[in-house]
Amino acid sequence: MKYIVIIGDGMADFPIDELGGKTPLMVANKPFMNMMAREGFCGKVNTIPEGFSPGSDVAAMSIFGYDPAKYYTGRAPIEAVSMGIELGDKDVAFRCNLVNLDISPEKTIMRDYSGGHITTEEARVLIDALNEKMGNDMFRFFPGVSYRHIMVWKDGEWQMSSTPPHDITGKEINRYLPEGTGAETVLSLMKKSQEILGQNPLNEERKKAGKLPANSIWLWGQGTRSKLPLFTDKFHLKGATVAAVDLVKGVSKLAGFEAPYVEGATGYLDTDYRAKASKAIELLADHDIVYVHVEAPDEASHNGDMKEKIKAIERIDADVVAVILEKSDKDTRLLMVTDHATPISMKTHYAVPVPFIIYEKGKKQAGCETGYDERTGGDKVISGEEMITLFTGNKG
Ligand SMILES: [Zn+2]
């Protein structure tokens, strides 16, 4: 038996008036997902355990069959893994955004969490400058993509509060500064970065070109190295992942999966859906289980774009699900799932049990007549670990 998991990120939603009280999943034309629901096993999964915020990192851990309550140490360590950064046992990784702050003596405001959409090349210049002036045996900056970078604090502190900068756009930062053990050190790094970045010629050029300067770092999402038991040990299957998103790749790598680069997979609305499906089939030749993650419906939801969301769901159906159904062998079991709800009305993630289908080619089960949407699976809710245990038939 071979196994394929298809994750449509953030597909679940609330009923929308404009859609006559239906959700994007309900109105989307998706004959293949619906067929799987009618002929498969339907259920609901809770990917965000009690007390966790509904982040993609927590949800991804659940969908890979790991209980976040046991294994989650923070967002930054997962991203660090996907960027190939080795963390020592006591090292603490922080997500390091290049941001734009509106700085004045009276109040400082988070103007843009993305440093004015800074490019990867520009960001590299600024991260190099930070390493040159602030980097030492204790603190090290690692360049990532666009505004998303990592700072590692050797033998550092992590027991402090921190806030994602995208949650405080337009707000005064005072109430959201880190608090707790080690917070003063983190704050002083953020302050120091403002001197260094403020004087950088690249930011002068950006201002002249009418762009926002990336004039500060913002440190958050900290944690120590996360250690997952290997998927091969836990579920006895050798796996690979097709994804463009760092968090999903990071969890994959922690689980011992291969996560190869896929040409055309952007993690955005213009992603090459068919290339992803083909890559998944290709990987299935020498793996037992392949995860395919498509970020597009989540991006559309964050933008509050209902039409794009519906289109993204339809494209997953036509260009991922259909292709996989057609090209996979008879002995293939599929898991169709979404990681969390990203309601259009909220433009952000929301923790609620989400529907899943387990479908086996050529095996007709009782299924769910409504097809695949928020109603699928009724009221019985299981955990991610239970879902993967059920799907793989292997005790977690
Ligand atoms: Zn999201």
Side-chain angles (χ1 to χ4, degrees):
M1 183 70 72
K2 297 277 186 176
Y3 303 84
I4 301 186
V5 181
I6 304 169
I7 308 165
D9 203 297
M11 286 199 298
D13 212 304
F14 297 144
I16 298 172
D17 286 345
E18 243 182 295
L19 298 176
K22 291 184 173 166
T23 67
L25 260 181
M26 284 180 201
V27 300
N29 178 30
K30 46 173 185 32
F32 297 96
M33 289 184 207
N34 288 345
M35 181 279 292
M36 283 167 60
R38 279 194 291 268
E39 299 187 6
F41 172 87
C42 301
K44 279 224 169 66
V45 58
N46 182 21
T47 58
I48 314 290
E50 192 78 42
F52 282 82
S53 58
S56 304
D57 42 2
V58 175
M61 225 173 228
S62 282
I63 288 182
F64 277 80
Y66 298 92
D67 180 1
K70 260 192 237 161
Y71 300 112
Y72 184 77
T73 59
R75 175 180 180 128
I78 299 174
E79 289 190 27
V81 168
S82 84
M83 285 164 64
I85 302 166
E86 296 275 347
L87 295 177
D89 277 336
K90 289 189 196 157
D91 292 350
V92 179
F94 285 75
R95 175 59 185 274
C96 174
N97 275 49
L98 283 171
V99 300
N100 175 269
L101 297 179
D102 187 357
I103 302 168
S104 79
E106 302 82 52
K107 59 177 179 183
T108 296
I109 287 166
M110 175 66 66
R111 195 149 44 183
D112 186 6
Y113 67 86
S114 76
H117 293 290
I118 189 150
T119 66
T120 302
E121 294 72 39
E122 288 174 310
R124 203 163 267 264
V125 172
L126 299 181
I127 296 293
D128 282 349
L130 292 172
N131 265 328
E132 197 182 299
K133 304 240 167 63
M134 293 164 70
N136 51 40
D137 290 344
M138 261 176 114
F139 303 106
R140 194 95 241 144
F141 296 86
F142 295 86
V145 174
S146 180
Y147 58 89
R148 304 185 291 266
H149 312 281
I150 293 287
M151 186 200 78
V152 176
W153 181 358
K154 198 170 168 37
D155 298 342
E157 302 286 352
W158 55 274
Q159 285 178 304
M160 67 191 84
S161 64
S162 67
T163 305
H166 52 260
D167 282 355
I168 55 169
T169 303
K171 292 191 177 156
E172 197 178 338
I173 63 169
N174 263 352
R175 284 176 48 207
Y176 305 100
L177 296 172
E179 270 175 44
T181 315
E184 264 174 49
T185 308
V186 169
L187 263 176
S188 71
L189 292 169
M190 280 156 64
K191 273 250 151 62
K192 184 103 206 285
S193 79
Q194 290 160 20
E195 286 166 35
I196 295 164
L197 297 174
Q199 293 163 4
N200 195 285
L202 189 137
N203 272 329
E204 286 306 317
E205 279 170 39
R206 283 183 64 85
K207 277 193 256 177
K208 271 189 215 142
K211 295 174 187 164
L212 288 176
N215 62 1
S216 182
I217 59 169
W218 186 268
L219 299 166
W220 62 286
Q222 74 279 0
T224 52
R225 185 166 67 161
S226 148
K227 274 196 207 134
L228 297 182
L230 294 176
F231 198 90
T232 45
D233 292 336
K234 200 167 153 61
F235 297 108
H236 313 293
L237 299 171
K238 183 184 164 202
T241 297
V242 179
V245 173
D246 275 345
L247 284 173
V248 177
K249 284 186 161 180
V251 172
S252 303
K253 285 191 183 168
L254 286 168
F257 279 34
E258 207 186 312
Y261 173 76
V262 181
E263 182 83 49
T266 58
Y268 204 62
L269 296 164
D270 61 354
T271 198
D272 188 340
Y273 293 76
R274 280 184 172 261
K276 286 192 158 181
S278 301
K279 188 74 187 177
I281 295 294
E282 188 190 313
L283 286 165
L284 215 52
D286 52 359
H287 295 84
D288 307 306
I289 183 165
V290 175
Y291 276 70
V292 189
H293 173 264
V294 185
E295 175 77 357
D298 188 58
E299 285 296 333
S301 308
H302 284 294
N303 295 339
D305 193 332
M306 186 180 72
K307 284 206 179 98
E308 272 299 334
K309 180 166 188 173
I310 294 169
K311 204 160 96 191
I313 295 168
E314 291 179 343
R315 291 214 54 195
I316 293 175
D317 195 65
D319 294 334
V320 179
V321 179
V323 174
I324 285 173
L325 281 170
E326 189 203 317
K327 291 193 180 165
S328 55
D329 293 334
K330 199 171 119 279
D331 283 331
T332 305
R333 197 179 283 171
L334 278 83
L335 171 63
M336 181 74 229
V337 68
T338 180
D339 51 352
H340 50 71
T342 312
I344 291 279
S345 56
M346 296 172 76
K347 294 189 190 175
T348 189
H349 301 176
Y350 185 72
V352 62
V354 287
F356 70 87
I357 317 161
I358 294 174
Y359 170 83
E360 207 169 302
K361 279 182 94 169
K363 188 177 161 192
K364 207 166 169 181
Q365 300 182 70
C368 179
E369 267 322 301
T370 51
Y372 183 65
D373 57 48
E374 291 78 0
R375 297 165 294 183
T376 308
D379 297 328
K380 187 168 175 353
V381 179
I382 61 176
S383 71
E385 193 171 17
E386 287 167 331
M387 177 179 71
I388 297 304
T389 302
L390 188 68
F391 177 58
T392 61
N394 290 302
K395 267 244 159 301

